[in-house]
Amino acid sequence: MSYGELPVEVAGHTFGERLTGIIVLLSGQYRLSKRKVQDALSDLLGVRICLGSISNREAEVAKALEVPVAQVGDAIREAERAHADETGWFEGKVNGRAKRAWLWVVVTAHLALFRISPSRGSEVAKALLGEDFTGFLTTDRWSAYNWYDTFLRQLCWSHLTRDFQSFIDRGGEGGRLGALLMKERDRMFQWWRRVRDGTMPREEFELRMPKVERRVGRLLRDAVVCAEDKTAGTAAEILKLESAMWTFVHVEGLEPTNNFGERTIRHAVMYRKTSFGTQSPEGSRFVERILTVVTTLRLQKRNVLEYLTAAVGAHRRGLPVPSLLPVAEPSQLAVAA
């Protein structure tokens, strides 16, 4: 009796490419714990799998995604504009307690890059963006971004709104100044929304805004001198980045908030709440890479399972894994030509 040789993509693998894709999809996109993945495979597909096999599939996919995720990072470092944000995470344990870490994201219109790090410092932001990054960067006021040129940075006005509200909540002279700052903020957003819906020409918006900018600057300087210590300190910190409050006024297409970045990281926040973080650096590599893939493909309206299946197949065959970079439409290529 003779037997044919198994295809290279099957030999040595108990799980097929699509099943492997489904396993990591349930974990990465649908945020199921390993036990929930185990139950879902049994209930939906009649596939019985041990928890260790799920971890092994995640490790395999993490390795397969290494190159395309690195390509995403390279492309983001060349982007004209990006949003950055970070949130708390846990990686491993120290003395029986979860060890603090941070999950970072840098996102553009069609690409997202996640990174889990024990640090919330500027070295992580520099590694993600590249120290030679020259695009416009939208962030909150976190100091890890203060190395970046303020004239290329846009502060999030949602966070500034919270700062001004905190002035009001503390009362006193700072509260009075906070109320005046809120009025200027409301005026600015009213005009900005009109620009977005087309009822105010952008040129008119740019002509009106210098008065608002001067009033806000004056009120913040008054707060530094006259307000209570905490309010005065916050006002002084904002003034260090004063030019970054108004970049969106002079750069068409730039948003005055970091809402896009915050929406992008929300999926990861929910992932953390259901998984309680990761247990090892290897687990963190899987999470940051699968989040990069899921979010990037969602931004591009591409099918995640189809991509993961193709990525696993290519990796097993020793072929280049499909790119995560957006493909230009034929019309765009014609314009470029």
Side-chain angles (χ1 to χ4, degrees), residues 217-230:
R218 186 177 66 251
L219 289 168
L220 287 171
R221 287 173 176 80
D222 287 346
V224 171
V225 175
C226 304
E228 297 70 23
D229 288 348
K230 192 167 185 178

Side-chain angles (χ1 to χ4, degrees), residues 60-129:
E60 179 188 9
V61 170
K63 183 64 176 175
L65 297 177
E66 182 176 4
V67 171
V69 167
Q71 292 171 344
V72 168
D74 291 341
I76 284 177
R77 293 180 194 105
E78 298 296 325
E80 293 182 358
R81 59 193 64 185
H83 295 250
D85 201 6
E86 71 292 324
T87 187
W89 192 262
F90 299 103
E91 182 186 272
K93 292 184 178 180
V94 176
N95 298 324
R97 301 186 64 179
K99 183 180 178 182
R100 189 67 164 172
W102 298 93
L103 185 141
W104 296 69
V105 66
V106 178
V107 59
T108 68
H110 298 106
L111 298 168
L113 180 66
F114 288 83
R115 180 75 52 83
I116 295 173
S117 171
S119 171
R120 199 186 178 193
S122 61
E123 70 276 7
V124 185
K126 291 178 181 179
L128 284 169
L129 290 161

Side-chain angles (χ1 to χ4, degrees), residues 41-63:
L41 292 172
S42 178
D43 294 343
L44 299 175
L45 302 177
V47 174
R48 298 188 181 278
I49 181 174
C50 68
L51 297 178
S53 292
I54 296 174
S55 295
N56 291 339
R57 300 287 65 74
E58 291 179 351
E60 179 188 9
V61 170
K63 183 64 176 175

Side-chain angles (χ1 to χ4, degrees), residues 14 26 38 48 50 58 96 127 140 156 217 270 321 329:
T14 306
L26 291 173
Q38 188 181 48
R48 298 188 181 278
C50 68
E58 291 179 351
D140 56 22
C156 176
M270 299 303 295
V321 175
E329 298 292 337

Side-chain angles (χ1 to χ4, degrees), residues 16-17 23 31 37 47 67 115 118 152 157 159 175 227 235 237 254 262 304 318:
E17 300 159 12
I23 291 170
R31 304 190 297 267
V37 171
V47 174
V67 171
R115 180 75 52 83
L152 293 174
W157 270 85
H159 286 79
E237 291 300 314
L254 203 63
E262 292 183 349
V304 179

Side-chain angles (χ1 to χ4, degrees), residues 151-196:
F151 291 98
L152 293 174
R153 185 175 170 191
Q154 174 59 54
L155 292 185
C156 176
W157 270 85
S158 294
H159 286 79
L160 291 171
T161 297
R162 295 170 205 166
D163 290 329
F164 299 161
Q165 184 60 51
S166 71
F167 292 3
I168 296 171
D169 294 341
R170 293 187 195 108
E173 179 62 12
R176 185 186 72 82
L177 294 170
L180 294 174
L181 284 164
M182 275 294 202
K183 287 184 178 180
E184 298 304 322
R185 175 262 183 203
D186 292 344
R187 181 178 289 112
M188 179 269 287
F189 268 109
Q190 181 182 17
W191 294 344
W192 172 250
R193 293 186 186 103
R194 289 185 59 193
V195 172
R196 287 198 306 181

